[in-house]
Amino acid sequence: MARVTAVTAVLAWVNTHPTLKMPGRLDLGAFRTQIRSPSRGAYLWVTRLDGTDALIAEEAADQARIAGVVFAATNEAAEAAAVAYANALDAVRTRTPMGDAVCLVVDGITGPQMLDDQAGERGELYAYQVDADFFLINGGS
């Protein structure tokens, strides 16, 4: 089974998703690293936690556990964007193109979970985490 560039796939999907890249959602987009001092809007930091081989409907897939942390200047904006992301993940039930990969399904969604409820008091961004298992195949598979 071939591994998939899972983070690249998820970034491509989020950054072209019609209902995520809009005001009140993940309007700043998704990134591999944390971005500096956004004064407004929300963004998603994506990392791969781990992965394993999986068999979905008799098709070999790369089961990638992806952590997504939503950051925003207000608690309300961070929570709203994290909920929108979690709902978009939950809607992936059929083959969905994600960059050069295809996602067969997203499962095992956890969150949104607030990471630090004192962030705003220290002048930092609020953060909510949403993790999920992406079952991915290479686009040519």
Side-chain angles (χ1 to χ4, degrees), residues 28 34-40 43 73 123 125:
L28 299 178
Q34 293 181 1
I35 60 175
R36 293 180 175 255
S37 306
S39 60
R40 63 189 195 313
Y43 74 92
L125 296 175

Side-chain angles (χ1 to χ4, degrees), residues 5-131:
T5 55
V7 171
T8 300
V10 174
L11 291 172
W13 177 71
V14 170
N15 287 326
T16 59
H17 196 283
T19 64
L20 288 178
K21 281 284 295 186
M22 60 189 301
R25 306 282 173 91
L26 295 170
D27 49 334
L28 299 178
F31 303 89
R32 288 182 177 274
T33 60
Q34 293 181 1
I35 60 175
R36 293 180 175 255
S37 306
S39 60
R40 63 189 195 313
Y43 74 92
L44 179 70
W45 173 36
V46 178
T47 58
R48 182 175 179 150
L49 299 176
D50 59 18
T52 188
D53 293 343
L55 189 63
I56 300 294
E58 292 75 41
E59 188 160 12
D62 182 359
Q63 180 180 346
R65 184 76 178 163
I66 300 291
V69 181
V70 173
F71 291 95
T74 67
N75 191 354
E76 294 79 7
E79 181 184 28
V83 167
Y85 175 61
N87 287 337
L89 293 176
D90 195 45
V92 179
R93 298 282 176 214
T94 61
R95 290 176 178 264
T96 302
M98 293 187 178
D100 291 337
V102 173
C103 184
L104 303 176
V105 69
V106 175
D107 197 21
I109 302 166
T110 58
Q113 174 185 350
M114 186 175 214
L115 294 183
D116 183 355
D117 65 357
Q118 302 300 311
E121 294 176 11
R122 296 191 306 267
E124 298 172 4
L125 296 175
Y126 288 91
Y128 281 80
Q129 185 160 342
V130 178
D131 296 347

